[in-house]
Amino acid sequence: MIDTENKFKAVVSHAKEYGFVFASSEIYDGLGAVYDYGPNGVELKKNIKAYWWKSMVQLHQNIVGLDAAILMHPKTWKASGHIDAFNDPLIDNKDSKKRYRADVLVEEYAEKRRQKAQKEIDKAKKRYGAAFNEQEFVTTNKRVLRYYQEADTAIQRLTSALESDDLKGVKDLIVELGIKCSVSGSANWTDVKQFNLMFKTQLGADAETAMDLYLRPETAQGIFVNFSNVQNTSRMKIPFGIAQIGKAFRNEIVARQFVFRQREFEQMEMQFFVRPGEELKWFEYWKKERESWHRSLGFKTEDYRFHPHDKLAHYANAATDIEFNFPFGFKELEGIHSRTDFDLSAHERLSGKKLQFFDPETKERYTPYVIETSVGMDRMFLAVFSKALEEEQLDDGKTRTVLKLPAILAPTKIAVFPLVKRDGLPEIAQEIVEDLKWDYQVLYDDKDTVGRRYRRQDAVGTPFCVTVDYESKTEESVTVRYRDSMEQKRIKIAELKTLLHQELDFRNWVERK
Ligand code: GAP
């Protein structure tokens, strides 16, 4: 068993050792919070994206796709509010010189208070056993009440200071709460400053005429500025959605937590355009849809939770996060936002072009409201990868490291081994590979003992291994070994495709869950 403390380290080192994730430009000592995906990583990533795309676009007749450019006209970011408001409040510790996000310091303080309350509840649960009444305990125990109140007050004060742009108030709060730097242990803080997260670049070589551009910090704006192009050409009627997968860039201050918080990352976003006044109904609809999408991957219910926003972004009238239990605790995996008509109206004002919908039935023309679902591809990768990684104690006293990835996302679907490298067995194994490779990512391996080959495939998450032995020559059958149960079954070579179809077909997978 990998304990929680070591889990994150195990995830990072396993990802590197087995070709999933490398630090970017590692030979030059890497680049902070930028990562490259290796041969297994790129397959897993591709499968996550395909699973999202099929679920959102292919299964919904009223959602279409888009692939907008990363570089956009700079007015885009004025309209969207990113130039004026896409800031993080940062604070430095004068002794360690370490930089923090001021809001995150307060949020972590509040989370620690809640954890303390939870510890009291767990202790009482143990003490009183079946007679324990949690509801009563939580509402009457003085210590639990105090911890929750401290957490709530801290968040409320942070929210109101940020909403009124009171940076001094944020610093005062940090000092009052006694928050200390984790490196120096001191509370010797600078003032809080706002820091814009967009990366700047330039279009054109001539200094006089060059235009300042930004690398997009979210893919959403590419969808908004194309609203009319897409609506007119695809003849979509409201309600309808536009989906997009693409890179986004943010100059993050706190660059930690591996691929969780990067400066270059990918988003899978969908903007769903609805009639004004109906947005909260659709907000609830998409909360449920997205929750069930995550659950369809087979992780435990208790690994997810909703976290409604205390502080709404400048464009939203409702927002929630789907949080996932990462190795470092519950953190945001996906955001679901009711963005009102903020973006379309702002682009209309700045561009002078109409971004409206004309309803041919009611003859009404209006600016639609928008529900957004936005999930970080890299965070999905980390969620799936970290939950799947297990160290298992086997009956013979040995341990195995196994990546129990949902089979539909596994980089390699099937590995084919000849038992020995002679007597025609490699040829039969190669024939199977040649036949299956058209539909699945297949791997041939004839090195080492079969046991070792199983271990190698367990470590990269291959759900099925097939061994060709002497019986294969006479009976045209093979052994299939299942990664999770390690169970082995004898089946005919001709039945392999049916088995893989049952286990890996998108429809079978979704309908089974
Ligand atoms: N268009 C809305 C938007 O961009 P967001 O909450 O800032 O909202 C959406 O980002 C999702 O993008 C997050 O839930 C997260 O999964 C992912 N994300 C955001 N910043 C990230 C970063 N620095 N590294 C990796 N993923 C990130």
Side-chain angles (χ1 to χ4, degrees):
M1 283 282 288
I2 314 171
D3 57 53
T4 327
E5 221 158 85
N6 288 316
K7 180 74 191 243
F8 188 42
K9 279 191 201 144
V11 164
V12 176
S13 72
H14 194 86
K16 170 155 192 215
E17 187 178 345
Y18 288 93
F20 284 88
V21 182
F22 309 125
S24 157
S25 23
E26 200 188 63
I27 59 167
Y28 296 105
D29 298 330
L31 186 65
V34 187
Y35 291 91
D36 297 339
Y37 286 84
N40 282 318
V42 72
E43 290 295 335
L44 174 52
K45 200 168 134 158
K46 192 188 73 193
N47 295 340
I48 293 173
K49 289 194 269 188
Y51 192 64
W52 184 86
W53 191 266
K54 281 187 183 174
S55 309
M56 298 299 271
V57 180
Q58 198 172 315
L59 294 190
H60 289 95
Q61 287 296 301
N62 62 347
I63 299 184
V64 289
L66 178 75
D67 186 14
I70 287 170
L71 298 177
M72 300 182 70
H73 194 284
K75 280 189 183 171
T76 307
W77 308 113
K78 185 72 194 159
S80 68
H82 283 83
I83 288 179
D84 299 321
F86 194 53
N87 301 317
D88 273 349
L90 66 86
I91 189 165
D92 294 313
N93 182 269
K94 290 184 194 162
D95 300 319
S96 66
K97 311 274 180 265
K98 198 168 151 53
R99 178 161 284 184
Y100 294 89
R101 264 178 62 177
D103 54 336
V104 171
L105 284 180
V106 177
E107 276 161 10
E108 284 175 354
Y109 164 91
E111 183 59 25
K112 277 189 200 140
R113 297 328 261 176
R114 290 193 189 109
Q115 281 169 4
K116 282 192 168 197
Q118 190 58 45
K119 260 195 193 150
E120 294 292 331
I121 299 167
D122 293 344
K123 261 199 299 188
K125 222 182 246 169
K126 252 195 197 156
R127 202 177 321 132
Y128 298 116
F132 182 61
N133 180 338
E134 184 165 336
Q135 174 73 11
E136 189 186 317
F137 185 77
V138 170
T139 47
T140 54
N141 182 278
K142 285 206 176 105
R143 244 186 243 169
V144 171
L145 286 172
R146 177 161 55 83
Y147 288 140
Y148 279 136
Q149 202 201 347
E150 283 170 352
D152 292 346
T153 311
I155 294 296
Q156 276 159 14
R157 286 185 58 191
L158 172 72
T159 307
S160 76
L162 288 175
E163 271 171 0
S164 54
D165 224 2
D166 174 14
L167 298 183
K168 184 174 174 308
V170 178
K171 179 181 175 180
D172 291 347
L173 180 62
I174 288 173
V175 172
E176 245 178 75
L177 296 175
I179 296 174
K180 299 206 168 72
C181 166
S182 60
V183 177
S184 67
S186 85
N188 192 8
W189 299 109
T190 61
D191 288 342
V192 176
K193 279 180 277 187
Q194 290 288 19
F195 176 78
N196 192 288
L197 298 184
M198 283 197 294
F199 280 106
K200 238 185 192 170
T201 185
Q202 283 206 322
L203 180 84
D206 181 346
E208 305 269 292
T209 56
M211 189 195 245
D212 279 342
L213 295 187
Y214 299 94
L215 301 186
R216 68 178 175 199
E218 62 171 12
T219 61
Q221 298 305 323
I223 295 179
F224 292 125
V225 300
N226 276 297
F227 170 78
S228 294
N229 283 338
V230 175
Q231 197 263 317
N232 291 336
T233 54
S234 60
R235 303 163 57 85
M236 284 285 141
K237 287 212 182 77
I238 275 178
F240 78 94
I242 305 178
Q244 172 164 228
I245 299 179
K247 290 264 185 177
F249 302 81
R250 295 181 190 180
N251 196 359
E252 297 283 0
I253 308 165
V254 185
R256 287 195 303 248
Q257 298 167 323
F258 195 40
V259 295
F260 180 84
R261 192 176 303 288
Q262 294 178 87
R263 296 194 165 113
E264 173 178 343
F265 56 98
E266 265 181 286
Q267 290 183 316
M268 305 189 285
E269 297 202 300
M270 193 275 300
Q271 312 296 325
F272 197 71
F273 299 93
V274 304
R275 176 181 268 281
E278 293 188 352
E279 71 275 14
L280 295 180
K281 176 185 90 184
W282 286 108
F283 177 68
E284 290 305 321
Y285 171 87
W286 281 108
K287 266 170 67 180
K288 282 209 190 81
E289 279 283 300
R290 295 303 303 147
E291 185 188 14
S292 87
W293 182 84
H294 285 284
R295 298 249 166 98
S296 74
L297 289 170
F299 297 111
K300 290 193 197 122
T301 307
E302 55 267 32
D303 282 327
Y304 302 92
R305 70 181 187 195
F306 277 112
H307 176 243
H309 286 202
D310 298 308
K311 176 181 182 287
L312 289 175
H314 58 277
Y315 50 73
N317 71 357
T320 192
D321 294 336
I322 296 178
E323 293 190 338
F324 185 74
N325 192 8
F326 287 98
F328 34 80
F330 274 96
K331 296 269 176 208
E332 177 185 344
L333 172 61
E334 169 155 2
I336 301 169
H337 309 122
S338 172
R339 293 183 77 125
T340 65
D341 60 350
F342 174 87
D343 304 87
L344 290 179
S345 298
H347 288 304
E348 281 190 326
R349 276 195 302 276
L350 218 66
S351 68
K353 310 274 174 4
K354 287 260 170 276
L355 293 172
Q356 295 188 333
F357 175 72
F358 177 70
D359 188 331
E361 275 150 38
T362 62
K363 311 277 182 243
E364 266 179 291
R365 188 180 292 281
Y366 59 87
T367 308
Y369 271 39
V370 173
I371 304 301
E372 167 182 75
T373 73
S374 174
V375 56
M377 198 294 306
D378 310 81
R379 287 193 190 177
M380 264 316 287
F381 181 100
L382 185 60
V384 162
F385 189 89
S386 56
K387 267 303 154 209
L389 184 64
E390 285 183 20
E391 202 151 275
E392 263 183 5
Q393 202 73 41
L394 302 179
D395 292 343
D396 61 5
K398 292 189 180 143
T399 54
R400 71 161 181 157
T401 304
V402 54
L403 201 56
K404 292 186 174 172
L405 292 171
I408 198 155
L409 302 183
T412 301
K413 302 298 187 212
I414 183 159
V416 187
F417 313 148
L419 182 65
V420 289
K421 271 198 270 182
R422 55 175 189 276
D423 303 330
L425 302 191
E427 287 77 4
I428 300 176
Q430 290 286 11
E431 252 176 58
I432 295 175
V433 169
E434 286 303 310
D435 189 34
L436 296 180
K437 75 177 187 189
W438 298 95
D439 298 308
Y440 303 103
Q441 193 69 32
V442 194
L443 181 135
Y444 172 87
D445 188 5
D446 61 12
K447 297 193 187 60
D448 304 318
T449 62
V450 169
R452 282 194 153 184
R453 287 180 245 171
Y454 283 154
R455 290 291 171 276
R456 275 202 287 273
Q457 295 311 311
D458 285 346
V460 296
T462 306
F464 310 104
C465 291
V466 160
T467 305
V468 173
D469 54 20
Y470 287 100
E471 239 181 285
S472 310
K473 292 174 85 167
T474 51
E475 304 296 320
E476 297 191 345
S477 64
V478 286
T479 321
V480 178
R481 185 256 196 189
Y482 290 75
R483 176 196 66 199
D484 296 352
S485 61
M486 295 192 290
E487 186 198 348
Q488 301 192 12
K489 264 193 199 158
R490 191 100 207 154
I491 67 165
K492 293 282 181 202
I493 294 174
E495 288 166 2
L496 270 175
K497 277 192 180 165
T498 315
L499 170 96
L500 290 175
H501 181 77
Q502 268 165 8
E503 300 284 343
L504 298 169
D505 174 64
F506 177 61
R507 180 173 187 169
N508 287 343
W509 182 273
V510 172
E511 289 187 341
R512 189 170 49 181
K513 297 289 152 186

